[in-house]
Amino acid sequence: MESFKDQIYFKWYEDYSVSIFKYIYAIVQDPQTAEDLMQETFLKVYEKYDSIIEKTKVKSFLFRAAHNTTIDYFRKESRFKKILNALKMKNDTQPSTEKIVEVKEDGRLILQALKGLNNSQREVIVLRRIQGFSIKETAEILNWSNGKVKTTLHRADKNLEKFLLMEDENNERPSIVRL
Amino acid sequence: MSDRQLLDYKLEKLEDEIVWGEDRKRLIKSQLQEKIISKNKKKGIILHSEWGILLKNRFNPILSISVVSLMFLGISYFVGVQLNIFNDPEVKQANEPKENMPESLKPSNEKTAYIPPKQEEYYEDMTKEEILTKMINSVDYFETAVGEFKSYSGGDPGYTVVEYAISLKNQPGGFGKRTYTENDKNDTFYEYYKDGTVWNLIEQTHTYRQMSYSEGSSSDTLKIEDAFTVDHEGINVTNYRERPPIGSANETLFPYEIASNYTRDLNSWDIEKQNEELLGHNTLVIKGTKNHRDFQSFRFWVDKDTGILVKYETYNSAGDVVDYLYPTKLEINVPINSDKFTPNLEGYTSYELHLKDQPKMTTGNIDELIPEELKEQWEEAKKKPNETTVLELNGNWYIYAKKGYLVNYIEANGKEGTLYLAKTSAQKSQYTFHALAEGYKVETLKIVHE
């Protein structure tokens, strides 16, 4: 029998793990890394259970934890890459995407477009446009001001539009998709 | 559709375009469980179940590490209000009539109720240490509590009203009703506990969850120096007393975390007033500062004989109230009929069953999911890739979209459903896409190629 806390905790996992995975995946775009970071996120949440108190929304809390975990990853990865480059090593051990995640056609296009954004723009787009958080919630998750969210979102939107329009022109997008 | 709208549309659909399977989800969950067990073992936490930390003693003894301290404050609140499971658009008006309430919340015959000893108000002066010690040990200072309060968190669009009744000693049990109101729409969540079982009921979806908990003996009075410590990395560590396994009234009856977060540093607050009457209780008023983005100071009204946080307010730099808890009723050591502590589940379904019953769409290669009875027809469909074929069996719909189209969504209008198929991109126009739609409860499915 699980404790009450554990039941609640794993209820969170049941309810939010898929969204958290997709959020991280859209940011890091590597399925194995996304799974690792999602697991790390949930482990941190377990340990910080008692800080989920001041009427913070659980969903926002989880996404904030995911954001922090992802940011940490990028920082570490950046250092790691520098070391690799210095040693002229090559990391060829990319896991197979197919086994972990399946991305449908339009999704691939969007993910490709997201790659063209910097990390901040990508995060704000994923939280605001894909996960549907409000400006205020997005600001809380990222620990930014509302103004910074709006400005970054505006820039991200412009860059995405540019990318997708170019892509669509290249693909001669069927008019039906325009609805 | 403008390019802007098209972009929004595609972004919104990304969630559906990424498919992360249930098997992966289960795998990660089991890895997570193993890691938590391992971490807990390293910390010396005794496990006596398949995994996890049980409420070993009565409600829960003091655990030595804050990370495993059970945070019942808000647990049920989170389940009901914050887990976003109140998504059913059907809402009811505030101040519902009694007829709509679960049976156990209706006024009941009190003839079997135990009468606890009358609680005496305390009027002597108290020190900061004395009142803080009472707050973190409030479970020791009363037997029953019945009350109502309204709470608001700055920035939230709505407010919460809580009703509760708790019995700690004789026939222990409790119930809570938490109603979150936003734009005249209510989300109501009930919780009950009695005899080792906890029930959570969600009124909007008419679903419930039933869980077990273990009771044991109570722990001793917690001293401030044992409750609030700092580890070798300088991180605050907090120990908590036990309390009931439902959370509706925790922020007032068992304000352990609030005491930890706001008053653990005795230098950050002062006693503003020794005696102030509130709802017939003699309270001590605390005024303190708190470095928070939304507020900078707070005021607590703490019942001097029980340590119950009767009322609180937080203030921004301009002195405006940001968050508050305003009680409308607080009765201590009054008789409660324990019948109130078990729910009437009539008309409610298990949350797990409810989830299973929700519509679900599986896309990709569904060949292995095709039932034997339909296999022949499915193979026939494959021979006609320029036609959309829809097969139905036992309420499940097996969809073979014609070349260049994929299943977008199903719209249900009563028993009539409409299947919308969207064109694929040019690159994928030579492929066929399949889907299995389950749980839509429609008898017909009209096909629309968008």
Side-chain angles (χ1 to χ4, degrees):
Chain A
M1 187 177 66
E2 292 176 359
S3 73
F4 191 66
K5 169 190 171 181
D6 297 340
Q7 291 183 38
I8 296 299
Y9 174 77
F10 280 102
K11 173 74 173 59
W12 294 352
Y13 180 85
E14 285 303 320
D15 288 351
Y16 296 115
S17 59
V18 174
S19 291
I20 295 286
F21 171 81
K22 289 178 181 180
Y23 162 66
I24 298 174
Y25 178 62
I27 306 295
V28 302
Q29 303 217 4
D30 175 77
Q32 187 62 59
T33 305
E35 277 191 350
D36 292 347
L37 293 178
M38 187 199 70
Q39 193 177 111
E40 200 177 322
T41 298
F42 273 92
L43 278 173
K44 283 181 183 171
V45 167
Y46 190 85
E47 294 205 339
K48 292 185 174 176
Y49 204 72
D50 52 354
S51 56
I52 315 173
I53 172 173
E54 292 180 344
K55 303 166 185 77
T56 314
K57 300 266 189 288
V58 166
K59 188 176 177 188
S60 298
F61 183 89
L62 291 170
F63 274 88
R64 189 158 60 248
H67 158 71
N68 290 334
T69 307
T70 310
I71 289 291
D72 283 349
Y73 161 76
F74 278 126
R75 284 184 192 135
K76 285 177 199 161
E77 190 205 42
S78 174
R79 285 202 297 273
F80 182 60
K81 274 187 176 169
K82 281 178 192 164
I83 294 165
L84 282 181
N85 288 338
L87 296 173
K88 295 186 189 305
M89 287 171 66
K90 195 178 172 188
N91 184 3
D92 281 329
T93 55
Q94 287 296 317
S96 164
T97 301
E98 300 304 323
K99 287 176 191 167
I100 296 175
V101 69
E102 181 195 333
V103 184
K104 296 177 196 172
E105 180 57 29
D106 272 357
R108 286 183 194 277
L109 193 64
I110 293 287
L111 288 175
Q112 192 62 33
L114 287 173
K115 272 187 183 173
L117 306 178
N118 64 34
N119 284 345
S120 297
Q121 291 176 356
R122 207 181 305 157
E123 281 215 277
V124 83
I125 279 282
V126 176
L127 289 169
R128 180 84 183 96
R129 301 268 185 248
I130 299 169
Q131 294 293 338
F133 285 106
S134 67
I135 293 280
K136 185 171 177 286
E137 288 167 332
T138 305
E140 281 171 4
I141 290 167
L142 298 175
N143 201 17
W144 294 357
S145 66
N146 288 358
K148 185 177 175 186
V149 170
K150 285 179 191 166
T151 313
T152 312
L153 188 62
H154 181 70
R155 287 182 190 143
D157 277 343
K158 289 281 165 212
N159 288 340
L160 264 188
E161 267 180 52
K162 257 188 262 172
F163 181 91
L164 288 170
L165 282 176
M166 281 166 53
E167 190 73 16
D168 286 337
E169 279 159 16
N170 293 340
N171 285 342
E172 293 177 10
R173 184 181 62 215
S175 58
I176 190 89
V177 178
R178 285 178 167 273
L179 301 179
Chain B
M1 188 183 266
S2 69
D3 289 326
R4 172 74 255 169
Q5 287 170 317
L6 180 66
L7 174 61
D8 284 343
Y9 171 75
K10 286 188 172 182
L11 286 170
E12 279 168 22
K13 279 195 66 180
L14 183 62
E15 269 274 293
D16 302 329
E17 301 274 312
I18 300 172
V19 180
W20 185 58
E22 274 296 318
D23 52 340
R24 299 299 305 180
K25 185 177 166 182
R26 277 195 297 274
L27 177 72
I28 300 294
K29 183 179 176 182
S30 63
Q31 289 174 356
L32 202 51
Q33 287 172 331
E34 281 171 22
K35 285 186 179 173
I36 288 172
I37 290 174
S38 165
K39 272 176 183 278
N40 285 339
K41 277 182 180 164
K42 278 182 195 163
K43 286 171 182 167
I45 294 162
I46 300 162
L47 303 170
H48 64 108
S49 65
E50 183 184 343
W51 88 276
I53 311 140
L54 276 185
L55 312 178
K56 276 182 70 178
N57 297 324
R58 183 168 185 269
F59 302 137
N60 191 29
I62 302 167
L63 296 172
S64 61
I65 305 167
S66 70
V67 294
V68 296
S69 298
L70 300 185
M71 304 291 294
F72 287 122
L73 170 68
I75 284 179
S76 303
Y77 174 64
F78 288 131
V79 174
V81 180
Q82 299 190 338
L83 281 183
N84 202 20
I85 50 180
F86 289 142
N87 283 337
D88 192 315
E90 186 187 336
V91 291
K92 294 190 172 117
Q93 293 302 305
N95 303 320
E96 61 190 326
K98 287 271 191 279
E99 294 76 53
N100 291 339
M101 295 172 73
E103 198 59 38
S104 59
L105 287 183
K106 292 179 183 174
S108 59
N109 185 345
E110 303 282 348
K111 69 186 174 192
T112 60
Y114 158 77
I115 301 174
K118 188 175 183 301
Q119 188 82 358
E120 297 295 337
E121 294 302 321
Y122 189 75
Y123 291 95
E124 300 293 319
D125 278 5
M126 292 178 79
T127 63
K128 287 165 123 183
E129 288 81 1
E130 284 170 340
I131 196 71
L132 183 55
T133 303
K134 269 204 170 169
M135 285 176 78
I136 60 176
N137 290 285
S138 61
V139 68
D140 290 339
Y141 296 102
F142 65 96
E143 290 196 21
T144 72
V146 178
E148 290 174 11
F149 64 84
K150 177 180 177 181
S151 70
Y152 173 75
S153 177
D156 273 5
Y159 61 88
T160 303
V161 172
V162 175
E163 295 169 39
Y164 60 87
I166 300 259
S167 176
L168 297 175
K169 291 184 177 146
N170 183 277
Q171 296 183 305
F175 86 79
K177 176 188 178 187
R178 204 163 183 120
T179 303
Y180 178 75
T181 303
E182 183 181 329
N183 299 326
D184 292 329
K185 293 180 178 175
N186 296 337
D187 284 326
T188 303
F189 172 73
Y190 297 94
E191 53 181 357
Y192 303 78
Y193 84 96
K194 192 183 176 186
D195 298 335
T197 304
V198 176
W199 297 269
N200 295 331
L201 278 67
I202 301 165
E203 186 173 271
Q204 277 63 33
T205 53
H206 269 77
T207 53
Y208 75 93
R209 297 193 84 208
Q210 186 170 323
M211 294 158 282
S212 302
Y213 72 96
S214 301
E215 287 189 21
S217 59
S218 171
S219 55
D220 294 333
T221 299
L222 187 57
K223 293 177 187 165
I224 294 173
E225 58 268 31
D226 296 327
F228 306 129
T229 53
V230 179
D231 71 9
H232 66 282
E233 290 175 335
I235 296 168
N236 283 336
V237 177
T238 309
N239 299 319
Y240 299 105
R241 286 294 304 276
E242 70 277 9
R243 63 181 162 203
I246 62 173
S248 290
N250 280 352
E251 59 192 303
T252 182
L253 297 182
F254 312 101
Y256 308 155
E257 293 80 11
I258 292 175
S260 161
N261 286 333
Y262 292 78
T263 50
R264 73 185 297 142
D265 176 6
L266 292 167
N267 296 317
S268 69
W269 56 280
D270 283 305
I271 295 173
E272 191 178 51
K273 204 172 174 185
Q274 275 289 345
N275 299 295
E276 183 171 318
E277 193 189 322
L278 202 55
L279 292 172
H281 299 276
N282 188 43
T283 64
L284 178 147
V285 185
I286 285 172
K287 180 81 193 291
T289 55
K290 173 86 178 162
N291 184 18
H292 190 279
R293 192 179 58 183
D294 299 326
F295 54 85
Q296 284 71 46
S297 60
F298 63 87
R299 186 175 273 121
F300 291 169
W301 286 257
V302 185
D303 186 24
K304 288 175 85 168
D305 56 283
T306 60
I308 289 173
L309 179 58
V310 184
K311 172 181 168 181
Y312 69 69
E313 288 177 340
T314 65
Y315 313 97
N316 61 20
S317 53
D320 303 323
V321 174
V322 178
D323 315 281
Y324 62 76
L325 181 148
Y326 292 156
T328 48
K329 176 182 172 183
L330 175 62
E331 295 173 354
I332 301 299
N333 285 8
V334 291
I336 307 174
N337 186 336
S338 65
D339 289 351
K340 287 186 176 179
F341 304 149
T342 45
N344 175 6
L345 296 174
E346 196 178 325
Y348 279 74
T349 53
S350 144
Y351 181 64
E352 284 71 22
L353 284 178
H354 172 76
L355 282 185
K356 277 183 193 164
D357 214 25
Q358 294 299 297
K360 188 172 78 170
M361 185 83 76
T362 308
T363 55
N365 186 350
I366 60 164
D367 280 3
E368 288 180 6
L369 303 174
I370 305 295
E372 206 54 47
E373 301 94 308
L374 296 180
K375 277 212 157 44
E376 197 176 320
Q377 286 167 275
W378 188 252
E379 291 306 315
E380 284 302 311
K382 285 183 181 175
K383 291 174 189 166
K384 293 180 273 186
N386 292 319
E387 283 179 29
T388 294
T389 303
V390 175
L391 307 172
E392 191 269 341
L393 188 71
N394 300 329
N396 296 334
W397 299 84
Y398 301 84
I399 303 158
Y400 188 96
K402 75 177 182 182
K403 195 187 284 182
Y405 283 85
L406 45 80
V407 173
N408 197 356
Y409 61 95
I410 289 176
E411 194 174 72
N413 183 11
K415 296 288 178 194
E416 294 174 6
T418 307
L419 165 66
Y420 291 92
L421 297 158
K423 258 198 172 180
T424 64
S425 66
Q427 294 143 307
K428 292 276 184 178
S429 63
Q430 291 309 304
Y431 297 103
T432 55
F433 295 92
H434 323 140
L436 164 60
E438 298 168 280
Y440 281 86
K441 294 176 183 166
V442 292
E443 289 174 359
T444 60
L445 204 53
K446 186 179 148 194
I447 301 168
V448 175
H449 292 91
E450 289 182 313

